[in-house]
Amino acid sequence: MSGTPLRLVIFDVDGTLVDSQGDILGAMQLAFASEGLPVPPREAVLGVVGLSLDILMPQLAPEQDAGTQARLVQAYKDAYMTLRADTSRGPSSPFYPGARAALEQLQAQPDTLLGVATGKSRRGLDKLLEAHDLQDMFVTQQVADFHPSKPNPAMLLEALRETGVRAQDAVMVGDTSFDMEMAASAGICGIAVDWGYHPASRLGAARHKLARFEDLAPLLDTIWTE
């Protein structure tokens, strides 16, 4: 038997594995238009990607009452699913370069498990996994429906519980400050990618930075031997 402990690599989704900003911005535009409200600036929307909708919507529409904010949340969900189903717009939420190859490389390692921790809903994640044929890639899938919003560590703690992996044998790969703060709170090593929705100035809680997916496996080898 191998003496190597099980390792767990947990990925954020939007801004980390896939570039979903086209769908996110489009759905947000439709949601705010449905209420006759001005659309928040692109930077404001991308700055809160990763938070649960019930947390981010009050930040984007702080002057609106709770009822309006709740309608915006539902309108966004509906618009997002509609946009994803519209194949005339071209590929929805494409992989970042090297993402699929990195996932397949890690999945092939017998002592490595893969997971996701995302602000997406269960329905939204299922649609994305189906579109990219990733249904069997992730052994633990943590979504916004069942947890407090990032950066609360609940998602990561549940991923550790489900897999039986120790915190010191897990990493969190993400693009936002919410991901890195969540990882730190859970005692997990945070790896920040530099192609996502938060600038480097917001990623101070990360232990490592990643410039391209091709560097992930070698970086993990270094982390596991530290």
Side-chain angles (χ1 to χ4, degrees):
M1 294 180 59
S2 170
T4 303
L6 276 179
R7 315 291 196 181
L8 176 62
V9 184
I10 307 167
F11 292 91
D12 171 56
V13 177
D14 298 315
T16 300
L17 290 175
V18 300
D19 186 1
S20 48
Q21 63 179 297
D23 291 332
I24 292 170
L25 295 170
M28 202 64 74
Q29 182 176 10
L30 291 172
F32 274 76
S34 73
E35 292 291 325
L37 297 173
V39 182
R42 174 182 181 275
E43 294 74 15
V45 174
L46 294 182
V48 295
V49 170
L51 296 177
S52 299
L53 285 169
D54 62 334
I55 300 297
L56 71 80
M57 202 61 78
Q59 295 190 27
L60 294 178
E63 72 287 353
Q64 303 302 318
D65 60 33
T68 302
Q69 292 169 352
R71 290 195 302 274
L72 285 169
V73 167
Q74 188 58 52
Y76 174 87
K77 290 180 178 179
D78 294 341
Y80 190 88
M81 299 305 290
T82 298
L83 290 174
R84 285 197 56 83
D86 182 6
T87 57
S88 67
R89 299 170 61 244
S92 179
S93 299
F95 273 123
Y96 283 104
R100 179 179 283 279
L103 290 174
E104 292 174 347
Q105 180 182 13
L106 293 175
Q107 187 186 39
Q109 298 176 0
D111 298 313
T112 301
L113 303 176
L114 302 182
V116 293
T118 176
K120 284 184 174 299
S121 67
R122 178 76 265 174
R123 181 175 69 154
L125 179 62
D126 285 346
K127 288 293 185 182
L128 182 80
L129 296 180
E130 180 183 355
H132 288 292
D133 193 24
L134 295 176
Q135 296 95 323
D136 300 322
M137 182 70 71
F138 303 105
V139 300
T140 179
Q141 301 173 12
Q142 307 303 323
V143 296
D145 307 60
F146 311 116
H147 296 287
S149 178
K150 299 176 182 181
N152 187 294
M155 288 187 185
L156 299 186
L157 296 177
E158 180 62 15
L160 295 176
R161 189 195 69 79
E162 285 186 357
T163 59
V165 175
R166 302 177 303 171
Q168 60 264 41
D169 295 321
V171 299
M172 172 71 201
V173 184
D175 71 303
T176 70
S177 60
F178 315 127
D179 296 318
M180 297 302 102
E181 291 163 10
M182 176 175 66
S185 294
I188 289 175
C189 176
I191 301 174
V193 305
D194 69 0
W195 54 77
Y197 301 152
H198 278 190
S201 60
R202 294 186 60 179
L203 301 174
R207 291 195 208 169
H208 300 274
K209 303 291 178 63
L210 191 68
R212 57 180 196 152
F213 263 117
E214 289 79 1
D215 297 331
L216 179 57
L219 174 59
L220 291 174
D221 288 340
T222 300
I223 292 172
W224 301 144
T225 56
E226 286 179 348

Coordinates of all heavy atoms in Angstrom, one line a residue, residues 6-70:
L6 N -4.0 10.8 1.2 CA -4.9 11.3 0.1 C -4.8 12.8 0.1 O -4.7 13.5 1.2 CB -6.4 11.0 0.5 CG -6.9 9.6 0.0 CD1 -8.3 9.4 0.4 CD2 -6.8 9.5 -1.5
R7 N -4.7 13.4 -1.1 CA -4.7 14.8 -1.3 C -6.0 15.3 -1.9 O -6.6 14.6 -2.6 CB -3.5 15.2 -2.2 CG -2.2 14.5 -2.0 CD -1.5 14.9 -0.7 NE -0.1 14.5 -0.7 CZ 0.7 14.8 0.3 NH1 0.3 15.4 1.4 NH2 2.0 14.4 0.3
L8 N -6.4 16.5 -1.6 CA -7.6 17.1 -2.1 C -7.3 18.5 -2.7 O -6.8 19.4 -2.0 CB -8.6 17.2 -1.0 CG -10.0 17.9 -1.4 CD1 -10.7 17.1 -2.4 CD2 -10.8 18.1 -0.1
V9 N -7.6 18.6 -4.0 CA -7.5 19.9 -4.7 C -8.9 20.4 -5.0 O -9.6 19.8 -5.8 CB -6.7 19.7 -6.0 CG1 -6.4 21.1 -6.6 CG2 -5.3 19.0 -5.7
I10 N -9.2 21.5 -4.3 CA -10.5 22.1 -4.4 C -10.4 23.3 -5.3 O -9.6 24.2 -5.1 CB -11.1 22.5 -3.1 CG1 -11.0 21.3 -2.1 CG2 -12.5 23.0 -3.2 CD1 -11.3 21.7 -0.7
F11 N -11.3 23.4 -6.3 CA -11.3 24.5 -7.2 C -12.6 25.4 -7.1 O -13.7 24.9 -6.9 CB -11.3 24.0 -8.7 CG -10.1 23.3 -9.1 CD1 -9.9 22.0 -8.9 CD2 -9.0 24.1 -9.7 CE1 -8.8 21.3 -9.3 CE2 -7.8 23.4 -10.0 CZ -7.7 22.0 -9.9
D12 N -12.3 26.7 -7.1 CA -13.4 27.6 -7.4 C -13.8 27.4 -8.9 O -13.0 26.8 -9.7 CB -13.0 29.1 -7.2 CG -14.0 30.1 -7.7 OD1 -15.1 30.0 -7.3 OD2 -13.6 30.9 -8.5
V13 N -14.9 27.9 -9.4 CA -15.4 27.7 -10.7 C -15.3 29.0 -11.6 O -14.4 29.1 -12.4 CB -16.8 27.1 -10.8 CG1 -17.3 27.0 -12.2 CG2 -16.8 25.8 -10.0
D14 N -16.1 29.9 -11.3 CA -16.2 31.1 -12.1 C -14.9 32.0 -11.9 O -14.6 32.3 -10.8 CB -17.4 32.0 -11.8 CG -18.7 31.3 -12.0 OD1 -18.8 30.7 -13.1 OD2 -19.6 31.3 -11.2
G15 N -14.2 32.3 -13.0 CA -13.0 33.1 -12.9 C -11.7 32.2 -12.6 O -10.6 32.8 -12.6
T16 N -11.9 30.9 -12.3 CA -10.8 30.1 -12.0 C -10.7 28.9 -13.1 O -9.7 28.9 -13.8 CB -10.9 29.4 -10.6 OG1 -11.0 30.5 -9.6 CG2 -9.8 28.5 -10.3
L17 N -11.7 28.1 -13.2 CA -11.7 27.1 -14.2 C -12.3 27.6 -15.5 O -11.9 27.2 -16.6 CB -12.6 25.9 -13.7 CG -11.9 25.0 -12.6 CD1 -12.9 24.0 -12.2 CD2 -10.6 24.4 -13.1
V18 N -13.4 28.4 -15.4 CA -14.1 28.9 -16.6 C -14.2 30.4 -16.6 O -14.3 31.0 -15.5 CB -15.5 28.2 -16.8 CG1 -15.4 26.7 -16.9 CG2 -16.4 28.6 -15.7
D19 N -14.2 31.0 -17.8 CA -14.4 32.4 -17.9 C -15.9 32.7 -18.2 O -16.4 32.6 -19.3 CB -13.6 33.0 -19.0 CG -13.7 34.5 -19.1 OD1 -14.4 35.1 -18.2 OD2 -13.1 35.1 -20.0
S20 N -16.7 32.9 -17.1 CA -18.1 33.0 -17.2 C -18.6 34.4 -17.1 O -19.8 34.7 -17.0 CB -18.8 32.2 -16.0 OG -18.1 32.5 -14.8
Q21 N -17.7 35.4 -17.3 CA -18.1 36.8 -17.1 C -19.1 37.2 -18.2 O -20.0 38.1 -17.9 CB -16.9 37.7 -17.2 CG -16.1 37.8 -18.5 CD -14.9 38.7 -18.4 OE1 -15.2 40.0 -18.2 NE2 -13.7 38.3 -18.4
G22 N -19.1 36.6 -19.4 CA -20.1 37.0 -20.4 C -21.5 36.6 -19.9 O -22.4 37.5 -20.0
D23 N -21.6 35.4 -19.4 CA -22.9 35.0 -18.8 C -23.3 35.8 -17.6 O -24.5 36.2 -17.4 CB -22.9 33.5 -18.5 CG -22.8 32.7 -19.7 OD1 -23.3 33.1 -20.8 OD2 -22.3 31.5 -19.6
I24 N -22.4 36.0 -16.7 CA -22.6 36.8 -15.5 C -23.1 38.2 -15.8 O -24.1 38.7 -15.2 CB -21.4 36.8 -14.6 CG1 -21.1 35.3 -14.0 CG2 -21.5 37.7 -13.4 CD1 -19.8 35.2 -13.3
L25 N -22.3 38.9 -16.6 CA -22.7 40.3 -16.9 C -24.0 40.4 -17.7 O -24.8 41.3 -17.4 CB -21.5 40.9 -17.7 CG -20.2 41.1 -16.9 CD1 -19.1 41.5 -17.9 CD2 -20.3 42.1 -15.8
G26 N -24.2 39.5 -18.6 CA -25.4 39.5 -19.4 C -26.6 39.2 -18.5 O -27.7 39.9 -18.6
A27 N -26.5 38.2 -17.6 CA -27.6 37.9 -16.7 C -27.9 39.1 -15.7 O -29.0 39.4 -15.4 CB -27.3 36.6 -15.9
M28 N -26.8 39.7 -15.3 CA -27.0 40.8 -14.4 C -27.7 42.0 -15.1 O -28.6 42.7 -14.5 CB -25.7 41.3 -13.8 CG -25.8 42.1 -12.5 SD -26.5 41.1 -11.1 CE -25.1 40.0 -10.7
Q29 N -27.3 42.2 -16.3 CA -28.0 43.3 -17.1 C -29.5 43.0 -17.3 O -30.3 43.9 -17.1 CB -27.3 43.4 -18.5 CG -27.9 44.5 -19.4 CD -27.2 44.7 -20.7 OE1 -26.3 43.8 -21.0 NE2 -27.4 45.7 -21.4
L30 N -29.8 41.8 -17.6 CA -31.2 41.4 -17.7 C -32.0 41.5 -16.4 O -33.1 42.0 -16.4 CB -31.3 40.0 -18.3 CG -30.9 39.8 -19.8 CD1 -30.8 38.3 -20.1 CD2 -31.8 40.6 -20.7
A31 N -31.3 41.1 -15.3 CA -32.0 41.2 -14.0 C -32.3 42.6 -13.6 O -33.5 42.9 -13.2 CB -31.1 40.5 -13.0
F32 N -31.4 43.5 -13.8 CA -31.6 44.9 -13.4 C -32.6 45.6 -14.3 O -33.4 46.4 -13.9 CB -30.3 45.6 -13.3 CG -29.6 45.5 -11.9 CD1 -28.9 44.3 -11.6 CD2 -29.6 46.5 -11.0 CE1 -28.3 44.1 -10.4 CE2 -29.0 46.4 -9.8 CZ -28.4 45.2 -9.5
A33 N -32.5 45.2 -15.6 CA -33.5 45.8 -16.5 C -34.9 45.4 -16.2 O -35.9 46.1 -16.4 CB -33.1 45.4 -18.0
S34 N -35.1 44.1 -15.7 CA -36.4 43.7 -15.4 C -37.1 44.5 -14.3 O -38.3 44.5 -14.1 CB -36.3 42.2 -14.9 OG -35.8 42.0 -13.7
E35 N -36.2 45.2 -13.5 CA -36.7 46.0 -12.4 C -36.6 47.5 -12.8 O -36.9 48.4 -11.9 CB -36.0 45.7 -11.1 CG -36.2 44.4 -10.5 CD -37.6 44.2 -9.9 OE1 -38.1 45.2 -9.4 OE2 -38.2 43.1 -10.0
G36 N -36.2 47.8 -14.0 CA -36.1 49.2 -14.4 C -35.0 49.9 -13.7 O -35.1 51.1 -13.5
L37 N -33.9 49.2 -13.3 CA -32.8 49.8 -12.6 C -31.6 49.9 -13.5 O -31.4 49.0 -14.3 CB -32.5 48.9 -11.4 CG -33.6 48.8 -10.3 CD1 -33.3 47.8 -9.2 CD2 -33.9 50.2 -9.7
P38 N -30.7 50.9 -13.2 CA -29.5 50.9 -13.9 C -28.6 49.7 -13.6 O -28.5 49.3 -12.4 CB -28.8 52.2 -13.5 CG -29.5 52.5 -12.1 CD -30.9 52.0 -12.2
V39 N -27.8 49.2 -14.6 CA -27.0 48.1 -14.4 C -25.7 48.5 -13.7 O -25.1 49.5 -14.1 CB -26.6 47.4 -15.7 CG1 -25.8 46.2 -15.5 CG2 -27.9 47.1 -16.5
P40 N -25.3 47.8 -12.7 CA -24.0 48.2 -12.0 C -22.8 48.1 -13.0 O -22.9 47.3 -13.9 CB -23.9 47.1 -10.9 CG -25.3 46.6 -10.7 CD -25.9 46.7 -12.0
P41 N -21.8 48.8 -12.7 CA -20.6 48.8 -13.6 C -20.0 47.4 -13.6 O -20.1 46.6 -12.6 CB -19.6 49.8 -12.9 CG -20.5 50.7 -12.1 CD -21.6 49.8 -11.6
R42 N -19.3 47.1 -14.7 CA -18.7 45.7 -14.9 C -17.8 45.4 -13.7 O -17.8 44.3 -13.2 CB -17.9 45.8 -16.2 CG -17.1 44.5 -16.4 CD -16.3 44.6 -17.7 NE -15.5 43.4 -18.0 CZ -14.3 43.2 -17.5 NH1 -13.7 44.1 -16.7 NH2 -13.6 42.1 -17.8
E43 N -17.0 46.4 -13.3 CA -16.0 46.1 -12.2 C -16.7 45.8 -10.9 O -16.2 45.0 -10.1 CB -15.1 47.4 -12.0 CG -14.2 47.7 -13.2 CD -14.9 48.3 -14.4 OE1 -16.1 48.7 -14.2 OE2 -14.3 48.3 -15.5
A44 N -17.8 46.4 -10.7 CA -18.6 46.2 -9.4 C -19.1 44.8 -9.4 O -19.1 44.0 -8.4 CB -19.7 47.2 -9.3
V45 N -19.7 44.3 -10.6 CA -20.2 43.0 -10.7 C -19.1 41.9 -10.5 O -19.3 41.0 -9.7 CB -21.0 42.8 -12.0 CG1 -21.4 41.3 -12.2 CG2 -22.2 43.7 -12.1
L46 N -18.1 42.1 -11.3 CA -17.0 41.1 -11.2 C -16.3 41.1 -9.8 O -15.8 40.1 -9.4 CB -16.0 41.3 -12.3 CG -16.5 41.1 -13.7 CD1 -15.3 41.3 -14.7 CD2 -17.1 39.7 -13.9
G47 N -16.4 42.2 -9.2 CA -15.7 42.3 -7.8 C -16.4 41.5 -6.8 O -15.8 41.2 -5.7
V48 N -17.7 41.1 -7.0 CA -18.5 40.3 -6.0 C -18.7 38.9 -6.5 O -19.4 38.1 -5.8 CB -19.8 41.0 -5.6 CG1 -19.5 42.3 -4.9 CG2 -20.7 41.2 -6.8
V49 N -18.2 38.5 -7.7 CA -18.3 37.1 -8.1 C -17.7 36.2 -7.1 O -16.6 36.5 -6.6 CB -17.7 37.0 -9.5 CG1 -17.6 35.5 -9.9 CG2 -18.5 37.7 -10.6
G50 N -18.4 35.2 -6.8 CA -17.9 34.2 -5.8 C -18.8 34.3 -4.5 O -18.9 33.3 -3.8
L51 N -19.4 35.4 -4.2 CA -20.3 35.5 -3.1 C -21.6 34.9 -3.5 O -22.0 34.8 -4.7 CB -20.5 37.0 -2.7 CG -19.3 37.8 -2.2 CD1 -19.7 39.2 -1.9 CD2 -18.8 37.2 -0.9
S52 N -22.4 34.4 -2.5 CA -23.7 33.9 -2.8 C -24.6 35.1 -3.2 O -24.4 36.2 -2.8 CB -24.3 33.3 -1.5 OG -23.5 32.2 -1.1
L53 N -25.6 34.8 -4.0 CA -26.4 35.8 -4.6 C -27.1 36.6 -3.5 O -27.3 37.9 -3.7 CB -27.4 35.2 -5.6 CG -26.9 34.8 -6.9 CD1 -28.0 34.0 -7.7 CD2 -26.5 36.0 -7.7
D54 N -27.6 36.0 -2.4 CA -28.3 36.8 -1.4 C -27.4 37.7 -0.7 O -27.8 38.6 0.0 CB -29.0 35.8 -0.5 CG -28.0 34.9 0.3 OD1 -26.9 34.6 -0.2 OD2 -28.4 34.4 1.4
I55 N -26.1 37.5 -0.8 CA -25.1 38.4 -0.2 C -24.6 39.5 -1.1 O -24.5 40.7 -0.8 CB -23.9 37.6 0.4 CG1 -24.3 36.6 1.4 CG2 -22.8 38.6 0.9 CD1 -24.9 37.2 2.6
L56 N -24.4 39.1 -2.4 CA -23.8 40.1 -3.4 C -24.9 41.0 -3.9 O -24.6 42.2 -4.2 CB -23.2 39.3 -4.5 CG -24.0 38.6 -5.6 CD1 -24.6 39.5 -6.6 CD2 -23.1 37.5 -6.3
M57 N -26.2 40.6 -4.0 CA -27.1 41.5 -4.6 C -27.4 42.8 -3.7 O -27.5 43.9 -4.3 CB -28.5 40.8 -4.8 CG -29.3 41.4 -5.9 SD -28.5 41.5 -7.5 CE -28.7 39.8 -8.1
P58 N -27.5 42.6 -2.4 CA -27.6 43.9 -1.6 C -26.3 44.8 -1.8 O -26.5 46.0 -1.6 CB -27.7 43.4 -0.2 CG -28.3 42.0 -0.3 CD -27.7 41.5 -1.6
Q59 N -25.2 44.2 -2.1 CA -24.0 45.1 -2.4 C -24.1 45.8 -3.7 O -23.7 47.0 -3.8 CB -22.7 44.2 -2.3 CG -22.4 43.6 -1.0 CD -21.1 43.0 -0.9 OE1 -20.1 43.4 -1.6 NE2 -20.9 42.0 -0.1
L60 N -24.8 45.2 -4.7 CA -24.9 45.8 -6.0 C -26.1 46.8 -6.0 O -26.2 47.7 -6.8 CB -25.1 44.7 -7.1 CG -23.9 43.9 -7.3 CD1 -24.2 42.8 -8.4 CD2 -22.6 44.7 -7.7
A61 N -27.1 46.5 -5.2 CA -28.3 47.4 -5.1 C -28.6 47.7 -3.7 O -29.7 47.4 -3.2 CB -29.5 46.6 -5.8
P62 N -27.7 48.5 -3.0 CA -27.9 48.7 -1.6 C -29.1 49.7 -1.3 O -29.6 49.6 -0.2 CB -26.6 49.4 -1.2 CG -26.0 50.0 -2.5 CD -26.5 49.0 -3.6
E63 N -29.5 50.4 -2.3 CA -30.6 51.4 -2.1 C -32.0 50.8 -2.2 O -33.0 51.4 -1.9 CB -30.5 52.6 -3.0 CG -30.8 52.3 -4.5 CD -29.7 51.4 -5.2 OE1 -28.7 51.2 -4.6 OE2 -30.0 51.0 -6.4
Q64 N -32.0 49.5 -2.7 CA -33.3 48.8 -2.9 C -33.7 48.1 -1.7 O -32.9 47.7 -0.9 CB -33.2 47.9 -4.1 CG -32.7 48.5 -5.4 CD -33.7 49.6 -5.9 OE1 -34.9 49.5 -5.8 NE2 -33.1 50.7 -6.3
D65 N -35.1 47.9 -1.5 CA -35.6 47.2 -0.4 C -35.4 45.7 -0.6 O -35.0 45.2 -1.6 CB -37.0 47.5 -0.1 CG -38.0 47.1 -1.3 OD1 -37.7 46.2 -2.0 OD2 -38.9 47.9 -1.5
A66 N -35.6 44.9 0.5 CA -35.3 43.5 0.5 C -36.1 42.7 -0.6 O -35.7 41.8 -1.2 CB -35.6 42.9 1.9
G67 N -37.4 43.2 -0.8 CA -38.2 42.5 -1.8 C -37.6 42.7 -3.2 O -37.6 41.7 -4.0
T68 N -37.2 43.9 -3.5 CA -36.6 44.1 -4.8 C -35.3 43.3 -5.0 O -35.0 42.7 -6.0 CB -36.3 45.6 -5.0 OG1 -37.5 46.4 -4.9 CG2 -35.7 45.9 -6.4
Q69 N -34.5 43.3 -3.9 CA -33.3 42.5 -4.0 C -33.6 41.1 -4.2 O -32.9 40.4 -5.0 CB -32.5 42.7 -2.7 CG -31.9 44.2 -2.6 CD -31.3 44.5 -1.2 OE1 -31.5 43.6 -0.3 NE2 -30.7 45.6 -1.0
A70 N -34.6 40.5 -3.6 CA -34.9 39.1 -3.8 C -35.4 38.9 -5.2 O -35.1 37.8 -5.8 CB -36.0 38.7 -2.8

